[in-house]
């Protein structure tokens, strides 16, 4: 895949990863708005500081003024920050609502965090479950990124509204996928949800983003977004392949639960 299309961060990259969901696109736009605002504030405050240092130095202004109040200035430094906060708040609340509301979900998947791997359930496509653990460095194939590749990938259809349910069975985890604009906590005993609509096929990478123990840095997320026809074919194959694992999610890692990945 072309570098710009690869769903992961790169050395010396500037800015956010290219967004591939409507939520991620709005996050990028909001980020760019905030960048302009904070740059203007930083330049203005720097200018004021330099102006005060030069204008009111003992050399240039040996006799201090005795003015203690300026009504216009006091109104300005109260009103202007309020206006700035309103400008920030309006798109912020719109983005929060947009990211939180499920858009007529066409299918549902569930991600469950474990120490230290993820398991996934597809209740609408055969009701199968599988585990996805990190591939160690010695087992990587050419082109597979270290610390980001998993032995099983989450497969999603492109241009489909998907409800994502996130939970955990031991400690706090967080399912994070930068290109999707998602970072959602996985909490034991609680079910959190969000939605995804990926507009571009490809392979995307994320990681657990909640400190969950010694193996925290070794539970990546790998998502393959394919055409709807390819997804239907994969689901039929996966339903048969993973059917026997439904009753024992996480069994394949049980024997290695005390072993820290490298």
């Amino acid at each position: 895949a072309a570098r710009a299309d690869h769903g992961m961060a790169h050395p010396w990259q500037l800015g956010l990863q290219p967004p591939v969901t409507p939520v991620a696109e709005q996050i990028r736009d909001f980020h760019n708005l905030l960048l302009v605002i904070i740059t203007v504030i930083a330049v203005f405050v720097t200018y004021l500081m330099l102006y005060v240092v030069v204008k009111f130095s003992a050399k240039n202004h040996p006799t201090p003024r005795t003015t203690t109040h300026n009504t216009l200035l006091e109104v300005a430094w109260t009103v202007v920050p309020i206006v700035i906060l309103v400008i920030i708040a309006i798109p912020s609340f719109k983005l929060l609502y947009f990211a939180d509301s499920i858009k007529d979900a066409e299918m549902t998947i569930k991600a469950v965090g474990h120490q230290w791997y993820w398991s996934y359930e597809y209740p609408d496509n055969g009701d199968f479950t599988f585990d996805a653990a990190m591939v160690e460095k010695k087992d990587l194939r050419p082109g597979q990124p270290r610390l980001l590749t998993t032995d099983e990938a989450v497969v999603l259809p492109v241009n489909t509204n998907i409800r994502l349910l996130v939970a955990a069975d031991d400690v706090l985890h967080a399912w994070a996928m930068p290109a999707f604009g998602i970072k959602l906590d996985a909490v034991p005993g609680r079910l959190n949800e969000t939605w995804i609509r990926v507009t571009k096929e490809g392979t995307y990478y994320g990681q657990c983003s909640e400190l969950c123990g010694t193996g925290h840095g070794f539970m990546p997320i790998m998502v393959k977004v394919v055409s709807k026809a390819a997804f239907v074919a994969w689901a039929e194959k996966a339903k048969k392949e993973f059917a026997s694992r439904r009753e024992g999610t996480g069994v394949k890692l049980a024997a290695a639960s005390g072993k820290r990945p490298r």
Side-chain angles (χ1 to χ4, degrees):
R3 179 184 177 92
D5 296 335
H6 208 44
M8 57 181 289
H10 298 283
W12 301 102
Q13 175 179 322
L14 296 177
L16 305 177
Q17 291 187 31
V20 293
T21 68
V23 171
E25 290 174 358
Q26 290 201 22
I27 290 175
R28 177 199 57 192
D29 295 341
F30 185 53
H31 166 270
N32 292 340
L33 171 64
L34 293 181
L35 186 61
V36 172
I37 292 174
I38 64 175
T39 299
V40 172
I41 292 174
V43 170
F44 179 67
V45 172
T46 301
Y47 166 77
L48 287 182
M49 292 177 64
L50 293 175
Y51 177 82
V52 170
V53 167
V54 174
K55 178 70 174 179
F56 299 102
S57 65
K59 178 181 178 181
N60 295 331
H61 201 83
T63 305
R65 293 181 183 176
T66 58
T67 302
T68 57
H69 292 83
N70 185 305
T71 302
L72 179 61
L73 183 60
E74 291 177 3
V75 170
W77 72 39
T78 300
V79 173
V80 171
I82 293 175
V83 172
I84 294 174
L85 291 176
V86 170
I87 293 174
I88 294 174
I90 293 174
S92 176
F93 289 136
K94 290 175 62 177
L95 175 56
L96 286 172
Y97 178 79
F98 183 68
D100 190 56
S101 57
I102 308 300
K103 306 298 181 182
D104 299 323
E106 301 170 57
M107 61 173 284
T108 298
I109 66 169
K110 182 180 178 181
V112 181
H114 311 268
Q115 289 180 315
W116 288 275
Y117 64 99
W118 293 93
S119 63
Y120 298 94
E121 302 174 13
Y122 284 70
D124 297 335
N125 305 95
D127 200 17
F128 57 86
T129 298
F130 63 88
D131 302 329
M134 187 189 78
V135 176
E136 297 194 24
K137 183 177 180 180
K138 61 183 177 62
D139 299 321
L140 290 173
R141 295 194 298 270
Q144 291 184 325
R146 186 177 69 90
L147 299 180
L148 292 175
T149 303
T150 57
D151 56 354
E152 299 288 350
V154 182
V155 180
L156 301 178
V158 72
N159 293 321
T160 303
N161 289 344
I162 302 167
R163 177 187 286 108
L164 173 65
L165 305 177
V166 179
D169 76 341
D170 38 44
V171 299
L172 289 174
H173 299 281
W175 202 90
M177 185 63 60
F180 295 176
I182 292 177
K183 181 155 63 174
L184 189 64
D185 280 349
V187 183
R190 177 173 176 174
L191 204 60
N192 288 330
E193 70 174 4
T194 186
W195 70 287
I196 309 169
R197 182 183 179 88
V198 187
T199 58
K200 188 175 183 181
E201 295 182 29
T203 302
Y204 304 94
Y205 299 92
Q207 292 175 301
C208 174
S209 294
E210 190 75 62
L211 292 175
C212 58
T214 58
H216 163 68
F218 305 98
M219 52 182 301
I221 303 162
M222 184 171 74
V223 178
K224 290 184 178 179
V225 180
V226 299
S227 67
K228 294 187 177 184
F231 174 78
V232 171
W234 173 84
E236 286 298 317
K237 178 182 176 182
K239 182 168 56 176
K240 299 175 183 178
E241 180 180 352
F242 299 121
S244 61
R245 305 184 188 182
R246 180 180 178 185
E247 299 300 325
T249 301
V251 169
K252 71 175 182 177
L253 292 181
S257 60
K259 179 182 177 184
R260 175 175 172 173
R262 297 186 297 275

